[in-house]
Amino acid sequence: MIVRPATLEDLPAYMPLALAFHAASPIRQAIPFSVEGFADFYTAAIESQNMGVWLAEQDGNIIGICGALVYPMYFNPDYWVAQELWWWLPHEARGHGAGKAMYDAIDAWATEKGASALFMIALEDERASKMEKLYVRQGFQPMERTFYKEVA
């Protein structure tokens, strides 16, 4: 199993896992998945200096995906932070080291980009408390929670 930066050529194989992530995420109830929109976003992310997109691959098959963004903190732009945007493994790929390897890729990239902090997200679902424990073991501390409301 390897974790490597995703390429434009990976998009057709990356897309099914992006769809699966959306289907498992509570955001599916509010915002539908757009295959064309994700493809455009993926392409822009691959080409951006401020985004990282990775995949975990085993025997030539993509078994996990993740992505992150680095940006200046609005209240002090001298400090850049990295934020994980997605980190997904199907159930059958969990527990074999791919998740840790993808986290390590995001963490190393954040350091390489000069980020002073890394923010990781946990979906508000049945795994939220498990993810919190995992993050705390990695040295993270809870900072805030995100709430959603439709405004249109």
Side-chain angles (χ1 to χ4, degrees):
M1 189 275 307
I2 62 165
V3 172
R4 64 173 175 79
T7 67
L8 293 175
E9 293 75 26
D10 292 318
L11 179 58
Y14 204 100
M15 185 68 74
L17 273 76
L19 281 159
F21 171 70
H22 179 267
S25 170
I27 198 69
R28 74 185 178 283
Q29 299 166 359
I31 301 172
F33 190 91
S34 165
V35 170
E36 182 179 302
F38 181 78
D40 290 345
F41 176 84
Y42 177 94
T43 300
I46 295 289
E47 296 171 352
S48 173
Q49 294 298 310
N50 291 339
M51 292 199 68
V53 181
W54 300 269
L55 57 85
E57 190 174 51
Q58 186 168 0
D59 301 324
N61 297 311
I62 297 176
I63 61 166
I65 59 173
C66 60
L69 171 69
V70 64
Y71 57 93
M73 185 53 82
Y74 65 92
F75 55 78
N76 188 341
D78 292 336
Y79 288 79
W80 281 64
V81 296
Q83 181 173 332
E84 170 254 336
L85 298 175
W86 67 90
W87 180 34
W88 175 252
L89 286 159
H91 296 289
E92 62 275 8
R94 296 177 187 166
H96 303 286
K100 171 89 167 80
M102 290 190 310
Y103 163 78
D104 289 345
I106 293 171
D107 189 54
W109 178 80
T111 300
E112 174 189 311
K113 290 293 185 178
S116 59
L118 172 59
F119 296 100
M120 296 293 285
I121 301 167
L123 298 177
E124 194 66 40
D125 63 10
E126 70 279 351
R127 294 176 38 96
S129 61
K130 181 177 181 174
M131 294 307 297
E132 180 178 354
K133 290 174 187 172
L134 179 116
Y135 290 146
V136 168
R137 279 196 312 268
Q138 292 296 320
F140 289 85
Q141 55 186 321
M143 298 282 298
E144 60 184 38
R145 291 182 78 160
T146 301
F147 295 85
Y148 165 82
K149 173 188 162 194
E150 286 188 39
V151 294

